[in-house]
Amino acid sequence: MLALLPGLLVKLATRGARRLGLMPQSTYVHEIMQALKRGDLDEAVSVYRLCVSRRQASNITEVARELIEQFVDIRVDKLQSRIDEIENIVRARKSLHARLRRWWARVLGLFGRKPLPEARSESELRAELAEHKAMIEGLLTIKSCLKSAG
Amino acid sequence: MKKRVTKTAVAGGVGFLGGLLLEQGLESLTGLDFVDGVFAVGGSVLAAMHVNRDLVEVASENIKAMFGKDPLEITEDDWKQYKAKYPKSAVYLEKALGV
């Protein structure tokens, strides 16, 4: 039993020090990088906030913050390009050609012909659009929180 | 003689099971793996040594995602653009890679 005690104490002490933000900043930076490699933005941000909760950010921590910001920017860019894509689809559906196509499909349907395969409905696209916009807003909030935490 | 061997074997088995139960019980109660605790400090020292490599790896992945090219293939204009947006990372990369 006594042989287990040192290990237990060391583990408890390091765990406590980590939670209190007392470990060396490189430990937290390493954790941030691991989280970014996994694509876990929430974890990266929470570890960063823990890292700068008690001490001023060192140079290496500032670099880690910029890397998190890059990660956010990349995600925002991807979402923005998807939003542009959806907006183009929605705009194209309002064109005269698209309306005539839909009308023709309905006429064919009246005569028992198999209608053309339906593309995703406009409401679905609009829901996706709203979701992406909300995600961008969330990501930008995370980015501004990072700056204020540092 | 036979009786003594049987008794020893049974006592050994019971002792083994008891020890196993104690270890499992302690681990499930505390949620700790005792051997890991000893290595935790060593882990934080190792983390410090790995940070440099981690930062370069993540930055490299980011550059790849941003410009759609391998970091070795980006142009000077791309690099200037990156440096203007993320000055600290760029300076760190330049120092780490000896550019």
Side-chain angles (χ1 to χ4, degrees), chain A residues 3-133:
Chain A
L4 301 175
L5 206 59
L8 180 66
L9 287 176
V10 168
K11 183 142 192 171
L12 284 174
T14 43
R15 194 175 280 190
R18 191 203 161 277
R19 277 192 193 154
L20 292 171
L22 297 171
M23 293 292 273
Q25 294 208 0
S26 55
T27 309
Y28 297 106
V29 172
H30 175 69
E31 280 183 35
I32 292 169
M33 293 305 114
Q34 294 305 313
L36 287 180
K37 278 183 194 172
R38 288 196 306 272
D40 189 349
L41 184 62
D42 292 340
E43 174 72 11
V45 172
S46 74
V47 175
Y48 173 77
R49 293 181 80 167
L50 183 63
C51 179
V52 294
S53 62
R54 284 186 180 257
R55 278 172 291 177
Q56 205 177 356
S58 66
N59 187 43
I60 209 169
T61 315
E62 288 287 311
V63 175
R65 179 178 57 81
E66 277 195 0
L67 290 175
I68 299 174
E69 282 177 10
Q70 286 170 34
F71 193 84
V72 170
D73 289 342
I74 291 164
R75 281 197 175 180
V76 168
D77 283 349
K78 277 183 185 167
L79 287 167
Q80 191 56 55
S81 60
R82 179 66 188 143
I83 285 173
D84 293 343
E85 205 177 297
I86 293 171
E87 279 176 347
N88 281 339
I89 294 170
V90 170
R91 213 173 295 130
R93 281 190 177 183
K94 284 179 183 165
S95 69
L96 183 65
H97 178 255
R99 281 181 191 172
L100 282 172
R101 248 188 101 187
R102 277 201 296 274
W103 175 80
W104 182 242
R106 266 186 226 142
V107 171
L108 286 180
L110 285 176
F111 293 100
R113 296 277 296 272
K114 203 176 172 185
L116 294 169
E118 269 292 314
R120 290 176 69 192
S121 71
E122 196 171 324
S123 61
E124 274 179 346
L125 288 173
R126 291 217 178 271
E128 194 185 335
L129 205 64
E131 196 182 310
H132 289 336
K133 281 182 180 170

